[in-house]
């Protein structure tokens, strides 16, 4: 399954994930720990252990170094 992942303020990319992948696995595939991002579908947070069903998600970084 291909999922378009938008990281707020950093752009977007399309990732291929397994049909039974979780949102936590999707966050890891995008290069983020599930603890440092919230995964949003249509602007609503989804549980990290939920199975990916959306073709487009938004990652909102909660922690940003500097």
């Amino acid at each position: 399954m291909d999922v378009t992942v938008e990281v707020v303020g950093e752009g977007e990319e399309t990732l291929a994930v397994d049909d039974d992948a979780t949102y936590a696995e999707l966050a890891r595939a995008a290069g983020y720990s599930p603890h440092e991002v919230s995964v949003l579908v249509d602007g609503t947070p989804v549980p990290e252990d939920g199975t990916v069903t959306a073709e487009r998600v938004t990652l909102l970084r909660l922690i940003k170094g500097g």
Side-chain angles (χ1 to χ4, degrees):
M1 166 181 211
D2 289 336
V3 180
T4 301
V5 178
E6 175 192 359
V7 180
V8 174
E10 297 183 25
E12 67 181 42
E13 65 181 307
T14 300
L15 301 172
V17 295
D18 294 333
D19 288 338
D20 61 348
T22 65
Y23 287 105
E25 292 169 334
L26 179 63
R28 285 188 200 97
Y32 298 95
S33 164
H35 302 290
E36 70 177 308
V37 296
S38 284
V39 181
L40 309 173
V41 174
D42 294 328
T44 303
V46 293
E48 66 182 47
D49 62 349
T51 302
V52 177
T53 56
E55 293 180 2
R56 183 174 185 82
V57 302
T58 301
L59 297 183
L60 177 62
R61 290 188 66 185
L62 304 174
I63 302 169
K64 196 166 188 175

